[in-house]
Amino acid sequence: MTEGVEWAVHCCVVLSQAVEPVSAAQLAELHGVSKTYLAKHLQQLSRAGLVRSTRGRVGGYELTRAAAKVSLLDIVEAVDGPEPAFRCTEIRQRGPLATPPEKCLKPCGVARAMGAAEQAWRRSLASVSVDDLAGSVVRDNGAGTFDALRGWLAPG
Amino acid sequence: MTEGVEWAVHCCVVLSQAVEPVSAAQLAELHGVSKTYLAKHLQQLSRAGLVRSTRGRVGGYELTRAAAKVSLLDIVEAVDGPEPAFRCTEIRQRGPLATPPEKCLKPCGVARAMGAAEQAWRRSLASVSVDDLAGSVVRDNGAGTFDALRGWLAPG
DNA sequence: GCCACCTTACTCGGATAAGGACTGTCCGAGTCGCTAAGG
DNA sequence: CCTTAGCGACTCGGACAGTCCTTATCCGAGTAAGGTGGC
């Protein structure tokens, strides 16, 4: 899985606690990562419709909907792409004992098993929202964590 | 996910139905893939202890244990490696608002959620055995499929 | 004093290079069966 | 006829290039605020 997924998720958690748009530069400094590369992933989130970007002097990124309505799966699909990790190449239709195409209407057993596993993975990711993650941060680090964050984000 | 995983799984299904060691050349021709590259993945299966390789004139590969005792997860881990797809880089410990190390004894919420999803994925893969896959092939293509396979594998 | 315009500084967005992993290939090490000569 | 040494062919195993994707970076397009000049 792409490392940018981790960055994007943490950024979404931060955005869920911000009251104003947060610039890519702030998010990059806050997490100690490359600004330009993080911007690339934020663009992917923007294309997917998860965040809204505003340009100009006080521009930045903000969530387009409530944090409880943004799931981990949304972010992973936005950054890593929607195509599944396992792609069946239909090798059953190759070689001397190839299965005839008219018998390949449904995916083969291997593809079905892989698809079921990936479905379980997606269901687990879909059950966790950005708001849930923010709650876990509060439980782990204390209620004042996001107050300090908002103080750091405030201009000046 | 690596494409070699698909090859390795299909090879294991074939091996579960063979009565003699099957050479890498036969497996490659049967699936219409590169022989030398497939051999690389078979070596990974051998290192993981899933298959036994015998050299010499009538050498080849065979399963080391019953097909019902070999899960999809075993094969995936043997080929793609045991390390999880998501690796937490601990970005919470970086930047101006870094979490102090003494508060990072347990994984962060993001890593826990990702780990839970991956756990679900592994559990699903572990619940499917090579024997189950062979059964699905019989259900899809008919009971005579593996008879034809054994006939093709027979020397001559 | 008020308004319109312009400059300016700051933001995002897409197009552009470097590194690493997956893909694909080759030749050498090792092993078993066959053959043939000798007892 | 039986034993056994040698030969040969076939197998796996690890070391070696090619190509695509991830990582990382840069500069240009766009926008809003603030200053400035004119009315």
Side-chain angles (χ1 to χ4, degrees):
Chain A
M1 188 181 309
T2 305
E3 188 179 356
V5 170
E6 186 186 6
W7 301 5
V9 173
H10 281 271
C11 284
C12 285
V13 173
V14 170
L15 291 181
S16 76
Q17 300 299 319
V19 294
E20 293 174 348
V22 184
S23 70
Q26 282 180 309
L27 289 171
E29 184 187 355
L30 185 61
H31 294 111
V33 299
S34 161
K35 170 203 163 189
T36 53
Y37 187 35
L38 177 62
K40 191 174 190 61
H41 295 304
L42 292 172
Q43 288 167 29
Q44 292 176 295
L45 293 180
S46 177
R47 277 180 223 145
L50 295 181
V51 303
R52 173 197 315 279
S53 68
T54 53
R55 300 167 94 141
R57 196 178 188 82
V58 293
Y61 293 94
E62 54 192 342
L63 293 180
T64 55
R65 53 184 194 261
K69 296 284 186 185
V70 180
S71 72
L72 257 183
L73 181 61
D74 294 329
I75 304 173
V76 171
E77 283 192 339
V79 175
D80 263 10
E83 60 269 8
F86 179 86
R87 203 178 70 82
C88 181
T89 61
E90 291 291 335
I91 68 177
R92 62 178 168 175
Q93 297 189 35
R94 300 160 65 175
L97 268 63
T99 305
E102 61 266 21
K103 284 207 168 190
C104 296
L105 298 179
K106 72 175 177 179
C108 72
V110 176
R112 288 201 302 271
M114 290 291 188
E118 202 150 328
Q119 195 81 5
W121 177 73
R122 294 163 88 103
R123 196 172 299 127
S124 179
L125 287 184
S127 72
V128 179
S129 71
V130 170
D131 200 49
D132 296 332
L133 293 174
S136 75
V137 170
V138 170
R139 272 191 298 280
D140 289 350
N141 294 3
T145 307
F146 287 139
D147 294 329
L149 172 62
R150 276 183 285 265
W152 188 86
L153 286 177
Chain B
M1 188 181 311
T2 306
E3 188 180 355
V5 170
E6 186 186 7
W7 300 6
V9 173
H10 281 269
C11 284
C12 284
V13 173
V14 170
L15 291 180
S16 76
Q17 300 298 320
V19 293
E20 293 174 349
V22 184
S23 71
Q26 281 180 307
L27 290 170
E29 184 187 354
L30 185 62
H31 295 109
V33 299
S34 160
K35 170 203 161 189
T36 53
Y37 188 36
L38 177 62
K40 194 175 188 60
H41 295 305
L42 292 172
Q43 288 167 29
Q44 293 177 294
L45 293 180
S46 177
R47 276 182 224 144
L50 295 181
V51 303
R52 173 197 315 282
S53 67
T54 54
R55 300 168 93 142
R57 196 177 188 83
V58 293
Y61 292 94
E62 54 191 344
L63 293 180
T64 55
R65 51 184 193 260
K69 296 284 186 183
V70 180
S71 71
L72 257 183
L73 182 60
D74 294 330
I75 303 172
V76 171
E77 283 192 337
V79 175
D80 263 11
E83 59 270 6
F86 179 86
R87 204 177 70 81
C88 181
T89 61
E90 291 291 336
I91 68 178
R92 61 178 169 176
Q93 297 189 35
R94 302 158 65 175
L97 268 62
T99 305
E102 61 266 22
K103 284 207 168 190
C104 297
L105 298 180
K106 72 174 177 179
C108 73
V110 176
R112 289 201 301 270
M114 290 292 188
E118 202 151 329
Q119 195 82 5
W121 177 73
R122 294 161 87 104
R123 196 172 299 125
S124 179
L125 287 183
S127 71
V128 179
S129 71
V130 170
D131 200 48
D132 297 332
L133 293 174
S136 75
V137 170
V138 170
R139 272 192 299 280
D140 289 350
N141 294 3
T145 307
F146 287 140
D147 294 329
L149 172 62
R150 276 183 286 264
W152 187 86
L153 286 176

